[in-house]
Amino acid sequence: MIQKRLFVIILMAFCFISLSSEKKGFNGIAKGEWKASPELVERLSKRRSETNYDEQKVTEYTLPDPLTMIDGTAVADAQTWTFHRRPEILELFRTYVYGRSPVERPENMSFEVFDLERNALGGSAIRKQVTVYFTGEKEGPKMDILVYLPKNADKPVPTFVLLNFGGNHTVHSDPAIRLSESWMRPGEGVKDHRANEASRGRSSSRFPIEQILKRGYGLATIYYGDIDPDFHDEFKNGVHPAFDRKRGPDAWGSIGAWAWGLSRAMDYFETDDEIDQSKVAVLGHSRLGKTALWAGARDPRFAIVISNNSGCGGAALSRRAYGETVKRINTSFPHWFCDNFKTFNDKEEDLPVDQHMLIALMAPRPVYVASADEDLWADPRGEFLSCKHAESVYHLFGKKGLSKEPMPDLNQPVNEGTIGYHVRSGGHGLTEYDWQRYMDFADMHFEK
Ligand code: GTR
């Protein structure tokens, strides 16, 4: 009798295991979901033996619940989220991850439109270039915003804003774009305008401006080095010294400064009648994708927030420690985050937040996260999981999060909900494919 019962139990267990293994792969990946190429995993693992690229070696983790307050209270409605839990999470990110900016809109900040061309790009566009003097002083820190708008728009134009890596003049070959001064590390030379002239239009593949205009959108871009040069100098250059009094362990790093600069661009958009300030989408690639997410979290004026291959400290869950880790990023880039973030090196499980909560801070606004098949350093699955675990907050607002589950396969964008996601073929980069998906998403949410 006992033997018979045992047999039935074993048989049931066997059926259960084979059923579930049919649904899920050995490492929890369902059929039809994206999966990293095993050859690539092997190759990268050999190259960087200290980095984990193996899904099976991701250790179990527990994510903090976006819907439980620090004191344990459950968040059951949008009101409680908006007025209590959201500010609490935002403060945790300020304190432990990106740091705190000492000022918001500086009192004396001023704008100077130094270029306005209504027949740019062969007559198809309006071009504007605007200098933002952060302290109002001409000698103080400043940034140039380059704006292209479609000509003959009959109303204010919805606009994408993003920072660029190489200088405004690298985004298009238009000779009228003012050269951005390049910032190099001390010892490498200071400003080399000849090098800049040679790099005019160099990054134009990342900025399909003509296509953006054709689809009825504007594009605004700023050289990130104008806001803060991207190397560690104890925060002596860029905007930090102009506003810092004393720097504590929660003082803003470079990502904090870049995100703050995007909000200052938004301040300018509010003064420009040709830009629809209620329809500004902030976008960023890689470290600037981390920046776009933090900008969108800090500043609800950004109507759509888009992260392109942002990875660690961006859309990827830190607790997975897959690809780039908290320790790795804090070691290679000690100036990006606040000093407190370094206390979580190899201790991701102690973080009071994880990156799904950053995505959740956008709710109920639309947010889009994109990964690339070969960009395992940025952990595509971790980026998808952040979106998934942010959904509960969107549900409080009666919004759909992702429109489909589980993780989609290559080049199958999931973009009908309020959270969009895709993983496209290829490596780390911002491509035309990505742009087209972002514009599809914006078309839907801006009701174009
Ligand atoms: C890498 C860094 C990533 C990513 C990338 C980029 O070196 O490890 O976090 O941000 O740079 O910005 O291109």
Side-chain angles (χ1 to χ4, degrees):
M1 184 67 184
I2 293 176
Q3 264 181 345
K4 206 169 159 196
R5 219 180 263 169
L6 202 66
F7 176 74
V8 172
I9 290 171
I10 290 170
L11 191 73
M12 276 169 67
F14 179 76
C15 288
F16 179 75
I17 289 166
S18 48
L19 260 180
S20 46
S21 63
E22 208 176 294
K23 259 192 8 226
K24 297 264 176 199
F26 55 84
N27 49 17
I29 298 176
K31 225 169 137 212
E33 276 187 274
W34 173 86
K35 190 166 154 250
S37 131
E39 295 76 39
L40 184 61
V41 168
E42 204 188 315
R43 190 152 34 90
L44 293 177
S45 308
K46 272 194 194 136
R47 203 187 300 162
R48 282 181 183 261
S49 56
E50 75 289 359
T51 302
N52 178 38
Y53 290 109
D54 184 346
E55 194 57 42
Q56 291 180 81
K57 290 197 186 130
V58 173
T59 48
E60 252 182 63
Y61 54 86
T62 310
L63 292 176
D65 180 3
L67 297 185
T68 307
M69 302 274 307
I70 296 173
D71 70 4
T73 317
V75 177
D77 55 80
Q79 284 274 102
T80 314
W81 166 263
T82 305
F83 297 106
H84 300 285
R85 182 58 170 156
R86 187 180 189 281
E88 186 174 85
I89 295 177
L90 193 59
E91 183 57 18
L92 291 172
F93 275 108
R94 271 194 211 107
T95 310
Y96 296 107
V97 185
Y98 304 102
R100 192 179 305 280
S101 22
V103 280
E104 260 324 303
R105 189 194 164 115
E107 234 178 274
N108 299 321
M109 182 173 68
S110 61
F111 309 121
E112 184 192 356
V113 180
F114 66 87
D115 172 41
L116 172 56
E117 172 56 66
R118 308 201 77 84
N119 274 307
L121 306 184
S124 63
I126 299 170
R127 184 190 62 240
K128 301 183 189 194
Q129 298 187 76
V130 186
T131 303
V132 179
Y133 295 100
F134 292 118
T135 59
E137 288 157 34
K138 298 265 148 109
E139 302 314 312
K142 58 181 196 282
M143 68 178 184
D144 282 352
I145 312 176
L146 168 67
V147 183
Y148 285 105
L149 300 174
K151 227 174 104 169
N152 305 326
D154 50 7
K155 50 181 199 287
V157 179
T159 297
F160 288 90
V161 61
L162 71 164
L163 300 176
N164 65 72
F165 284 94
N168 288 353
H169 60 285
T170 63
V171 311
H172 197 281
S173 55
D174 184 346
I177 302 173
R178 185 194 266 179
L179 293 173
S180 297
E181 292 173 351
S182 64
W183 292 97
M184 299 175 199
R185 287 164 204 274
E188 287 176 9
V190 190
K191 295 162 197 169
D192 184 344
H193 283 282
R194 274 200 8 241
N196 279 346
E197 192 53 69
S199 58
R200 198 175 280 285
R202 190 184 52 194
S203 320
S204 54
S205 69
R206 278 188 182 169
F207 296 82
I209 294 177
E210 278 82 358
Q211 305 203 35
I212 295 168
L213 299 176
K214 223 179 263 162
R215 287 189 61 165
Y217 290 99
L219 175 102
T221 186
I222 302 140
Y223 173 46
Y224 80 142
D226 275 7
I227 306 164
D228 190 31
D230 190 3
F231 59 87
H232 192 35
D233 72 334
E234 306 290 342
F235 306 102
K236 301 236 165 41
N237 58 21
V239 293
H240 294 100
F243 300 106
D244 280 345
R245 262 141 276 148
K246 212 172 130 251
R247 290 188 57 88
D250 63 346
W252 54 343
S254 293
I255 292 178
W258 298 327
W260 176 89
L262 283 164
S263 289
R264 307 295 66 84
M266 189 72 211
D267 295 338
Y268 165 72
F269 302 151
E270 290 183 333
T271 70
D272 188 324
D273 293 342
E274 292 181 302
I275 294 174
D276 186 342
Q277 52 184 264
S278 69
K279 293 180 178 163
V280 174
V282 63
L283 154 70
H285 169 60
S286 205
R287 69 197 69 182
L288 299 179
K290 312 180 207 294
T291 303
L293 288 173
W294 181 229
R298 285 170 25 90
D299 192 339
R301 292 176 297 173
F302 294 112
I304 298 183
V305 183
I306 304 164
S307 149
N308 192 82
N309 308 175
S310 63
C312 179
L317 289 176
S318 303
R319 278 171 173 73
R320 279 171 50 84
Y322 180 107
E324 189 172 32
T325 62
V326 170
K327 181 178 177 188
R328 185 67 258 153
I329 205 166
N330 279 329
T331 311
S332 310
F333 307 101
H335 56 298
W336 282 3
F337 300 88
C338 71
D339 277 347
N340 278 339
F341 195 44
K342 300 188 174 89
T343 59
F344 301 99
N345 288 352
D346 286 331
K347 292 198 192 99
E348 287 87 352
E349 68 283 4
D350 292 348
L351 270 164
V353 288
D354 210 319
Q355 300 305 107
H356 62 306
M357 293 155 92
L358 182 66
I359 306 291
L361 289 178
M362 315 308 167
R365 292 167 295 157
V367 58
Y368 198 111
V369 171
S371 313
D373 184 36
E374 292 159 25
D375 187 15
L376 302 189
W377 185 241
D379 186 12
R381 176 164 297 275
E383 297 191 309
F384 172 77
L385 289 173
S386 273
C387 297
K388 188 171 157 59
H389 293 292
E391 285 193 298
S392 57
V393 178
Y394 281 81
H395 296 158
L396 289 183
F397 290 88
K399 300 255 179 192
K400 206 174 199 167
L402 290 155
S403 53
K404 264 187 229 132
E405 291 186 44
M407 184 168 182
D409 210 340
L410 262 194
N411 306 322
Q412 308 278 323
V414 166
N415 57 7
E416 278 151 34
T418 318
I419 305 177
Y421 178 83
H422 73 244
V423 49
R424 63 148 171 80
S425 346
H428 192 66
L430 173 57
T431 67
E432 207 186 301
Y433 177 91
D434 298 315
W435 271 106
Q436 296 297 355
R437 301 295 75 75
Y438 303 149
M439 290 192 274
D440 294 345
F441 194 64
D443 282 356
M444 196 175 90
H445 290 284
F446 289 158
E447 288 164 6
K448 280 188 86 239

